[in-house]
Amino acid sequence: MKTNQQPKAVIVIFGATGDLAKRKLYPSIHRLYKNGQIGEEFAVVGVGRRPWSNEDLRQTVKTSISTAADKQLYDDFTSHFYYHPFDVTNPGSYQELNVLLNQLEDTYQIPNNRMFYLAMAPEFFGTIAKTLKSEGVTATTGWSRLVIEKPFGHDLPSAQALNQEIREAFTEDQIYRIDHYLGKQMVQNIEVIRFANAIFEPLWTNRYISNIQITSSESLGVEDRARYYEKSGALRDMVQNHIMQMVALLAMEPPIKLNTEEIRSEKVKVLRALRPIAKDEVDEYFVRGQYQAGEIDGLPVPAYTDEDNVAPDSNTETFVSGKLLIDNFRWAGVPFYIRTGKRMKEKSTKIVVQFKDIPMNLYYGNENNMNPNLLVIHIQPDEGITLYLNAKKLGGAAHAQPIKLDYCSNCNDELNTPEAYEKLIHDCLLGDATNFAHWDEVALSWSFVDSISETWAANKTLSPNYEAGSMGPKESDDLLAKDGLHWWNI
Ligand code: BG6
């Protein structure tokens, strides 16, 4: 798909007064406009319960765009925004919306293309999708697409029910399920690093790789999202979606073509090959944690159970680590270790690929051990790759020491990497669903994590077990130590 096309559409944002719209969606649409990726033939309709005016919305959009663009550009941009007060359960609201969309399509010469972006409480996803259809809002002569934020259900049965509801109104290829990690530059680069480098792909198997570690740590706590997070926990919030997507990209076979269907079908095969965790094996393969009070960047932070809207005896995990096994020819015997959590030492997402030791060590490294070769893919905040090799110490005897080959794509240049949402909104406008989660991927991920979350829910014994500002509970280190390995905190 060429990226220099300027798609023409009306973007309808449900949840226009909400946090996601302000923090991510408005700034992303603004950057698309500023960079010429959308032209003048677009409009945004913000939909919400509050009785706002167009002016209220435009002011909110201006405030949410932090860059100092000139006033004229701001005004030109925000003049494309319209507010529509809305009652989700009232068909009349949808009919009025349809009238407004028709008018805007005339005004901006938009060929009846509509993107419906659900950036709001998931309990309304089904109702909105169905009523959009029943009131004729989706019956366009151009395209109509549904963009849907997570959480997509809270387990397999609820995800299936939600999927059925939205499928009554939209076909699978009209549904764009957001996993914003798929919009990150370095997550997209996993495929390129693997499939465009002759020095990696031949080694990318259980013959040469010892294990793969994925860490996505956050230093923030639950902020003001405890009501959601208490019901979700780290497993549903991060593992079921973002982490499983990264596992699939790391483990999939080369697709025969770089198109949506082929890539998705390879990812699905990985998820199908994941070894299910039986309920009585959960403790062997997964560790959960909850943060105690601690210190981050020199400042004290409270325990999870002391955060607003968290139950004092909460059983919600704020940390997960686990060992995944993929039962196929390429990966048999190679553990994929994953970990993620709130209030950890730092905000960082990285992937470490640890290669197997060479068969015979002719050199002495530190403590007479050769250091393994590592490939580190830095997803954020740094974006780049580091390759750890062994080289000889100058003047030394037969000593090898690790050296680093570093490439950091966002360290030196002034250009900011496109924000994940910017990329994904643009992809959706162009009809490219590659970096969105297909239903099969969502369903397989839920069926993998459900046995873990059910076991944890039935066993309400989680007590706070890691200090805020650490890298998680000791059991997480033990998980690798059992296999003679350790986390690479590099
Ligand atoms: C979201 C989770 O999907 O991802 C949040 O709901 C989490 O809890 C966030 O903080 C992390 O995203 P990023 O892009 O900051 O790593």
Side-chain angles (χ1 to χ4, degrees), residues 115-130:
M115 179 205 278
F116 302 99
Y117 197 125
L118 307 191
M120 57 181 307
E123 56 263 37
F124 298 119
F125 288 171
T127 312
I128 296 176
K130 283 195 286 192

Side-chain angles (χ1 to χ4, degrees), residues 150 180-181 184 216 218 225 228-229 237-238 241-242 342 347 349 380:
K150 69 179 254 275
H180 77 282
Y181 267 56
K184 291 186 191 281
S216 193
E218 295 187 77
R225 296 167 70 228
Y228 151 75
Y229 198 82
D237 188 48
M238 291 290 294
N241 35 65
H242 312 319
K342 301 270 183 205
K347 168 86 182 162
T349 303
Q380 62 185 16

Side-chain angles (χ1 to χ4, degrees), residues 138 143-147 169-176:
T138 57
W143 51 256
S144 89
R145 298 179 185 141
L146 182 76
V147 183
F170 293 87
T171 56
E172 176 64 32
D173 62 3
Q174 291 178 296
I175 302 171
Y176 289 68

